[in-house]
Amino acid sequence: MSDTLSNMLALGTKAPYFELPNPSKLNEIETLEDLKGEKGTLVIFMCNHCPFVLHTIDKLNELYEDYNERGIEFIAINANNIEKYPADSPEKMIEFQIDRKFDFPYLFDESQAVAKAYEAACTPDFFFFDEKLDLIYRGQMDDSRPGNNKDITGEDLIIAFENLLLGEPQEEIQKPSMGCNIKWK
C-alpha cells in the first residue's frame, strides 16, 4: 500500500467530458452529461482492491444515500491497469458493487484517458463539481485512513455538499485525498 496524495486539480476547472462503459449494465456507455447531478456531481476515482477504498466505501455509500435525493450524483471510475491488477477487472467491479451494495455508477476507464484528464493520482480521489460542472472541491473525504484510528465521518465531503446546497462559499483550505496510486499502464 503506497500513500499517494491527490494532485489537487485547479478549482474552477470544467469537468472533463467522458463516455465510459458501465460493467454492471452490460458495458452500456454512459456519459458525464447523462449521469451528472441536478445540483452537483462527485466524480470518484477508485478500484476494488485498494485498502483506502475498502476503508471508505461504506461511508461513501451512506453519503450517496443521503445526498443523491438532494440532487448530488456520484460517479465512480476505475482506471487501474487490469493486466497487472486483475482484481480490478470489469467482472470484479460488478462483484464489488454487489458485495458492497452501492448503487452509484461504477465505470471502467480502460484507456486511462479520463483519469489523466482529471489528473487523478490515487484511489480514492474525489472531484466535486457544481451544476455547471465547475470544480468546487477536490480533496479528501475526511481525516480517517486505514490504521489511524480516526472515525470515518465523511466530514470534508459533507461540508462541500452542504456549502453547495446552501449557496455558501467552499472552504478555502482543502486537504488532498490520500490512497494507493492509480496503477498506470
Side-chain angles (χ1 to χ4, degrees), residues 42 67 72 128 136-138 140 154-166 168-171 174:
L42 181 69
Y67 285 95
I72 296 175
F128 184 45
I136 56 173
Y137 177 83
R138 75 287 192 249
Q140 67 179 10
E155 178 180 26
D156 294 58
L157 286 180
I158 290 169
I159 290 169
F161 297 161
E162 290 295 331
N163 284 342
L164 173 74
L165 294 171
L166 296 170
E168 299 291 330
Q170 292 295 329
E171 300 291 308
Q174 299 180 3

Side-chain angles (χ1 to χ4, degrees), residues 13 18 46-47 50 73 108 128 154 162 182:
T13 299
F18 59 77
M46 62 181 236
C47 66
C50 171
E73 182 60 73
F108 184 50
F128 184 45
E162 290 295 331
I182 289 180

Side-chain angles (χ1 to χ4, degrees), residues 47-58 96 100 124 146 152:
C47 66
N48 308 331
H49 82 277
C50 171
F52 290 88
V53 172
L54 295 172
H55 182 73
T56 60
I57 191 68
D58 292 337
F96 183 67
R100 297 315 280 247
I152 304 168

Side-chain angles (χ1 to χ4, degrees), residues 42-112:
L42 181 69
V43 176
I44 310 146
F45 287 87
M46 62 181 236
C47 66
N48 308 331
H49 82 277
C50 171
F52 290 88
V53 172
L54 295 172
H55 182 73
T56 60
I57 191 68
D58 292 337
K59 176 55 86 173
L60 201 55
N61 192 34
E62 185 181 308
L63 293 176
Y64 178 71
E65 290 173 4
D66 291 345
Y67 285 95
N68 183 252
E69 62 192 29
R70 296 175 66 192
I72 296 175
E73 182 60 73
F74 290 20
I75 305 167
I77 299 173
N78 171 16
N80 274 359
N81 178 349
I82 62 170
E83 289 178 22
K84 291 185 180 170
Y85 295 87
D88 292 327
S89 72
E91 298 77 27
K92 298 287 187 186
M93 290 170 63
I94 296 167
E95 290 174 21
F96 183 67
Q97 191 168 17
I98 292 168
D99 290 346
R100 297 315 280 247
K101 298 178 177 71
F102 63 90
D103 292 328
F104 49 88
Y106 189 21
L107 311 179
F108 184 50
D109 179 17
E110 184 174 13
S111 73
Q112 300 182 324

Side-chain angles (χ1 to χ4, degrees), residues 4-8 42-44 52 56 59-60 63 122-128 137-145 148 150-161 170-171 173-179:
T4 299
L5 295 176
S6 56
N7 287 324
M8 305 296 280
L42 181 69
V43 176
I44 310 146
F52 290 88
T56 60
K59 176 55 86 173
L60 201 55
L63 293 176
C122 59
T123 55
D125 209 346
F126 300 99
F127 301 86
F128 184 45
Y137 177 83
R138 75 287 192 249
Q140 67 179 10
M141 185 170 96
D142 59 32
D143 288 324
S144 183
R145 306 284 185 268
N148 76 357
K150 292 186 178 182
D151 290 338
I152 304 168
T153 63
E155 178 180 26
D156 294 58
L157 286 180
I158 290 169
I159 290 169
F161 297 161
Q170 292 295 329
E171 300 291 308
I173 297 174
Q174 299 180 3
K175 298 177 189 172
S177 188
M178 177 188 286

